[in-house]
Amino acid sequence: MLDMSRSKSPHKTGYDRFIESEGVPIVEGWYVADVRETERRPWKRLGGKGCFIQLYGQEDITALYVVEIPPGGALNTERHMYEEIYYVLAGTGSTEVSAPDGKAQRFSWRKGDLFGIPLNAPHRLVND
């Protein structure tokens, strides 16, 4: 079988080097049967436990990761230069998104919800 692993490739992209530097597991494959079963480790930058997922054929198109918010805790505030889409696998919580004028909007979410964060909007996810 053809080994598609980018982690073993001598030709790594900047993104490959970035995800390796994050210190969390990188799950590679054609699919992931159940992302709830992926190995997750403490992720200093995000403040929870997580892993990256590199699906073969999607490496330069989309970035995927799983992150677990500590019970009663929150992830660190983030800001991205791209849209971020979240799918809630378990639990309930809320997200606070800051607008350019400094006003914050907070909304709640629960298992099965799907939501997006606008470009460049600071946001923080909280496990209620």
Side-chain angles (χ1 to χ4, degrees):
M1 178 179 265
L2 180 62
D3 184 0
M4 301 287 293
S5 175
R6 288 171 68 112
S7 62
K8 297 175 187 171
S9 171
H11 308 290
K12 295 182 183 181
T13 66
Y15 181 71
D16 293 329
R17 291 188 297 276
F18 164 71
I19 65 174
E20 287 176 0
S21 75
E22 289 289 282
V24 296
I26 300 169
V27 178
E28 295 180 296
W30 293 106
Y31 69 97
V32 176
D34 187 344
V35 296
R36 294 170 297 183
E37 300 297 321
T38 56
E39 176 190 3
R40 293 180 293 281
R41 286 193 216 131
W43 198 338
K44 184 177 179 180
R45 183 176 58 83
L46 294 183
K49 289 183 178 179
C51 70
F52 282 101
I53 298 175
Q54 286 279 73
L55 297 178
Y56 299 151
Q58 296 292 308
E59 300 94 333
D60 298 326
I61 298 169
T62 189
L64 303 170
Y65 64 88
V66 175
V67 65
E68 179 181 325
I69 305 171
L75 297 181
N76 298 329
T77 299
E78 290 191 279
R79 175 185 284 185
H80 297 281
M81 59 185 199
Y82 49 84
E83 291 179 304
E84 184 138 19
I85 306 294
Y86 289 94
Y87 178 72
V88 182
L89 295 170
T92 61
S94 60
T95 297
E96 184 172 283
V97 180
S98 299
D101 64 5
K103 292 182 182 177
Q105 178 80 26
R106 189 175 200 125
F107 60 91
S108 297
W109 42 260
R110 63 178 185 249
K111 179 182 177 181
D113 285 351
L114 178 74
F115 61 92
I117 304 295
L119 298 170
N120 208 25
H123 59 283
R124 181 171 182 249
L125 279 70
V126 179
N127 187 342
D128 293 339

